[in-house]
Amino acid sequence: MQFVFLGAPGVGKGTQADKVAAQYGILKISTGDLLREAVRNKTTLGLEAKECMDQGKLVPDSVVIGLVRDKLADPSYAKGFILDGFPRTVPQAEELGQVLNQRGLRLDRVINFQVSRADIVQRLSGRRSCPKCQATYHVDFAPSKQGSLCDRCGESLVQRSDDQREAIEMRLKVYDEQTAPLISFYEKKNMLSHLDGAGAVETVYQDLTKVLAIYKTA
Ligand code: AMP
């Protein structure tokens, strides 16, 4: 089972990828999470990526392709994986095809999550996260019971620098210019399914598992 979850920032693909990964016993590869981890650990790669990320711009293709290539070399990914937030450009998608080919793998399906722009902005601007345990909240839809502290570990919650308004606008512009072309890229290969991501997490998940069901038994 090899899936790509595609969509603008804030459509909920990461949340859905976590649920599917847990249910199917496969792994999620989120390039955003890998990059944030590198930033937290102040690695050379993290220091290079931080500026692009803070501004809402894409990190260079060569950097993220290297991260994904390293992950896929790990035998624990042979059982299946969900790519969340990768590929984000046509060259990344082409490179992914080559990496999978080399490993005798192919993608089963690319799911394109669709959510209106107004909803995306509301979701991203209200998002808060815990810098210690990485739990995520939303000021309106999923607030912490302890206000500005994390329910899980008590740490003060923060807003991701790229969830601030200017960075959100940049991320959506970058999505339109560089990532949206992947819709027709995968459509032409007959690999794409569109999914309405506007509803509640559980509703979207039910719809998603219907699309993925045939691969579970494959
Ligand atoms: P995300 O958590 O997926 O929204 O990613 C956060 C940030 O990490 C993005 O705004 C980019 O700066 C960077 N990033 C994540 N994935 C990629 C990718 N596939 N290509 C380039 N930059 C990426």
Side-chain angles (χ1 to χ4, degrees):
M1 288 175 286
Q2 285 87 227
F3 305 119
V4 165
F5 285 6
L6 192 67
V11 292
K13 52 192 191 305
T15 306
Q16 296 294 336
D18 284 334
K19 289 174 78 70
V20 171
Q23 180 172 332
Y24 286 31
I26 58 176
L27 296 167
K28 172 177 107 161
I29 303 175
S30 157
T31 41
D33 287 350
L34 292 172
L35 290 165
R36 277 185 290 279
E37 193 186 335
V39 170
R40 275 196 303 278
N41 294 336
K42 297 194 169 62
T43 64
T44 315
L45 187 152
L47 296 174
E48 266 175 46
K50 188 176 185 316
E51 200 180 326
C52 296
M53 294 174 76
D54 283 347
Q55 291 172 10
K57 294 182 182 161
L58 292 186
V59 170
D61 285 342
S62 56
V63 173
V64 278
I65 288 166
L67 284 175
V68 172
R69 191 185 282 278
D70 286 353
K71 280 280 159 197
L72 292 178
D74 181 334
S76 50
Y77 288 85
K79 204 175 158 204
F81 55 81
I82 303 163
L83 286 164
D84 161 27
F86 180 91
R88 254 172 155 107
T89 65
V90 170
Q92 289 180 18
E94 285 168 343
E95 191 73 25
L96 172 65
Q98 286 180 21
V99 174
L100 293 177
N101 247 334
Q102 286 159 5
R103 306 200 163 279
L105 296 170
R106 55 173 176 77
L107 289 177
D108 287 315
R109 206 76 198 149
V110 177
I111 310 295
N112 181 41
F113 289 76
Q114 295 176 302
V115 173
S116 75
R117 265 309 136 94
D119 283 357
I120 287 177
V121 172
Q122 197 186 14
R123 285 183 186 189
L124 290 177
S125 55
R127 187 158 69 176
R128 299 290 181 271
S129 58
C130 173
K132 195 168 164 198
C133 74
Q134 318 313 319
T136 52
Y137 300 87
H138 190 282
V139 289
D140 301 317
F141 310 134
S144 161
K145 292 188 188 71
Q146 302 188 64
S148 60
L149 301 180
C150 179
D151 283 336
R152 223 194 270 170
C153 72
E155 186 77 15
S156 291
L157 300 178
V158 295
Q159 183 176 39
R160 268 169 52 173
S161 46
D162 61 349
D163 280 344
Q164 284 164 26
R165 190 157 285 269
E166 269 184 19
I168 292 175
E169 279 167 20
M170 174 58 79
R171 287 163 77 197
L172 292 172
K173 182 169 176 281
V174 165
Y175 167 79
D176 288 338
E177 289 173 3
Q178 298 190 61
T179 309
L182 290 178
I183 295 173
S184 60
F185 178 92
Y186 284 120
E187 233 159 18
K188 282 188 201 133
K189 294 179 186 283
N190 284 322
M191 292 171 71
L192 197 81
S193 296
H194 295 286
L195 190 85
D196 181 3
V201 170
E202 278 311 317
T203 314
V204 176
Y205 184 62
Q206 294 307 322
D207 293 344
L208 175 60
T209 48
K210 280 179 207 150
V211 178
L212 302 185
I214 62 162
Y215 303 103
K216 199 178 176 186
T217 52

